[in-house]
Amino acid sequence: MSKIESNALRPSFTTNSRTLSAGSLKDRLSKLAATPLSVPNPVAALHANLNFVPAKIPRKRRLQMLAVAIWSVMIVITTCAWLLLLSIPPLWPLLAIYFVWARWIDTSPERGGRSSQWFRSMRFWRYFADYYPASFLKEADLPPDRPYVFGYHPHGIIGMGALATFATEATGFSAAFPGIKPHLLTLTTNFQMPFYRDILLSLGVCSVSKESCSNILKSGPGSAITIVVGGAAESLSAHPGTADLTLRKRLGFIKLAIQHGADLVPVFSFGENDIYQQMPNEKGTTVYALQRKFQSIFGFTLPLFHGRGLLNYNLGLMPYRRQIVAVIGNPIHVQQCDKPTIEEVMRVQTRYIEELTRIWNTYKDQFAKARLRELNIID
């Protein structure tokens, strides 16, 4: 190959091509410098995902929200008040007397409490109930010549509907059922917290212990207890659009009703499961296993949930505004028996479940339009 041919095969880089390449690179660098860097702003992203409360909303709605917010942190408020008073040495003798009296002397939680009609009728509770709003639907009259055991379903995360209906007069329980004296029942540990226990007792709330139930039902005609049957275990199944009940193995309240000749009244609260969102925790998951382990140790569980906030509609620990309607069904009359057989208890339970199912089927299209599935007794 000749020298001329060899030179002809080599790439040819001219001055013009080098000039164009440099100019192109310069243009690109200029454009890059002129373009602002897009750095994610976490605050802006949070604001974009939150639906904030408008600046102007009716005063009544603000008061409703305030009432629910106060009750949601009532344990924190009373605990802080107790600790604050403990920081004042001159008050120590009085606080010591109160503590001894509340812990070892006062038996009100086991003996029907000390319900205050004035306290139950305060306007505060009306704002509390109207927030959701919470109400009840009465299906039958309840003559005040006998005791009653109300079975409340479902538990929900906290049981706000049970509080509004059976522990206050915000929904008009006493007017609808004259002569019936309701007592909502809760864990005995709630009565070990200073000041908070006194609020519960003023609402007529009592311990769910067997002794407490018996004392109330024996106190005379018209006495009534309300048991949130599913308890802590059922709260783990409280997801919006569902009605998964822990009921099949809960026979204690039925046996109690038979022993005292108390009519059983099923109550299904539509919307109770809809006021909070709970983290997915199906059986078999690590979250579910940890929650059940916690329950076995401490007697209660901690559902991982969220609701709305004071200033936004989709992130916080306050419940959502969802209608709660507690349908109070027809009473199931039982024959009094001091030692009922398991067969008798099971027969009454069958009637109870049938009545509860009837309530669901009758009102589900009215109050549970957004349901994801039908009523399900899981345990």
Side-chain angles (χ1 to χ4, degrees):
M1 181 181 295
S2 67
K3 186 175 181 180
I4 296 175
E5 291 174 339
S6 176
N7 290 336
L9 292 174
R10 292 177 182 174
S12 176
F13 296 100
T14 63
T15 303
N16 290 338
S17 66
R18 286 196 299 270
T19 303
L20 289 173
S21 298
S24 176
L25 179 61
K26 185 177 180 181
D27 291 341
R28 292 181 181 180
L29 289 175
S30 299
K31 291 179 180 179
L32 183 62
T35 304
L37 293 177
S38 178
V39 179
N41 187 335
V43 176
L46 182 62
H47 278 243
N49 292 323
L50 288 180
N51 184 12
F52 285 95
V53 175
K56 293 183 179 180
I57 61 174
R59 177 175 175 270
K60 186 176 181 180
R61 288 178 66 88
R62 289 195 182 277
L63 292 173
Q64 293 167 359
M65 184 172 62
L66 180 62
V68 173
I70 290 174
W71 180 253
S72 298
V73 295
M74 185 59 71
I75 293 178
V76 177
I77 293 173
T78 53
T79 301
C80 290
W82 174 254
L83 295 176
L84 178 62
L85 293 176
L86 282 177
S87 67
I88 306 174
L91 295 179
W92 287 356
L94 291 176
L95 295 177
I97 293 172
Y98 169 81
F99 183 79
V100 171
W101 171 78
R103 190 66 184 270
W104 291 288
I105 299 176
D106 184 25
T107 59
S108 296
E110 304 290 334
R111 299 190 175 279
R114 43 175 179 269
S115 177
S116 167
Q117 194 67 13
W118 170 82
F119 191 73
R120 287 168 54 94
S121 303
M122 288 178 61
R123 186 180 294 272
F124 175 89
W125 303 115
R126 168 57 65 182
Y127 287 128
F128 174 86
D130 288 346
Y131 171 85
Y132 303 97
S135 61
F136 69 84
L137 192 155
K138 169 185 173 181
E139 284 202 321
D141 291 329
L142 300 179
D145 59 352
R146 67 198 69 174
Y148 292 92
V149 175
F150 292 89
Y152 187 92
H153 313 268
H155 183 284
I157 297 294
I158 298 178
M160 296 295 198
L163 179 77
T165 302
F166 294 98
T168 77
E169 293 300 330
T171 57
F173 183 90
S174 293
F177 300 101
I180 306 298
K181 300 179 286 293
H183 296 274
L184 181 63
L185 305 184
T186 187
L187 295 175
T188 304
T189 52
N190 285 323
F191 298 97
Q192 297 176 0
M193 290 179 276
F195 303 150
Y196 183 68
R197 69 186 302 277
D198 300 293
I199 295 174
L200 294 180
L201 291 171
S202 296
L203 292 172
V205 180
C206 295
S207 168
V208 75
S209 69
K210 184 177 180 180
E211 179 186 1
S212 172
C213 295
S214 296
N215 287 334
I216 294 172
L217 294 176
K218 290 188 298 185
S219 63
S223 298
I225 59 175
T226 301
I227 300 176
V228 186
V229 178
E234 192 174 86
S235 68
L236 299 181
S237 304
H239 295 275
T242 67
D244 298 332
L245 305 185
T246 300
L247 176 59
R248 193 78 63 184
K249 298 179 182 178
R250 302 298 171 102
L251 302 175
F253 76 106
I254 295 177
K255 183 178 179 180
L256 187 73
I258 296 174
Q259 289 174 333
H260 292 86
D263 284 7
L264 276 165
V265 185
V267 180
F268 193 92
S269 184
F270 291 90
E272 187 70 70
N273 281 349
D274 298 334
I275 61 176
Y276 285 108
Q277 287 282 352
Q278 185 173 182
M279 178 180 178
N281 60 339
E282 291 76 12
K283 286 186 177 181
T285 62
T286 303
V287 173
Y288 183 83
L290 291 175
Q291 288 174 325
R292 292 306 299 264
K293 183 66 175 178
F294 186 95
Q295 179 189 349
S296 65
I297 296 174
F298 297 101
F300 64 95
T301 189
L302 292 175
L304 302 178
F305 65 93
H306 75 86
R308 56 160 292 179
L310 284 172
L311 301 178
N312 71 84
Y313 290 119
N314 50 355
L315 183 61
L317 295 179
M318 283 188 57
Y320 293 111
R321 286 182 183 264
R322 302 285 188 271
Q323 184 184 29
I324 300 175
V325 180
V327 179
I328 302 177
N330 297 312
I332 299 171
H333 184 67
V334 299
Q335 294 294 328
Q336 194 276 332
C337 179
D338 291 332
K339 295 182 179 180
T341 63
I342 186 63
E343 291 78 13
E344 176 61 21
V345 173
M346 295 300 294
R347 279 197 296 270
V348 175
Q349 187 197 54
T350 300
R351 293 168 57 195
Y352 183 90
I353 293 177
E354 288 175 352
E355 174 63 13
L356 194 64
T357 304
R358 183 198 65 79
I359 294 173
W360 167 263
N361 290 330
T362 302
Y363 298 99
K364 63 182 181 181
D365 291 331
Q366 182 178 355
F367 300 127
K369 295 178 181 178
R371 63 187 181 277
L372 301 178
R373 54 179 179 264
E374 297 298 314
L375 175 68
N376 182 27
I377 299 177
I378 58 177
D379 199 0

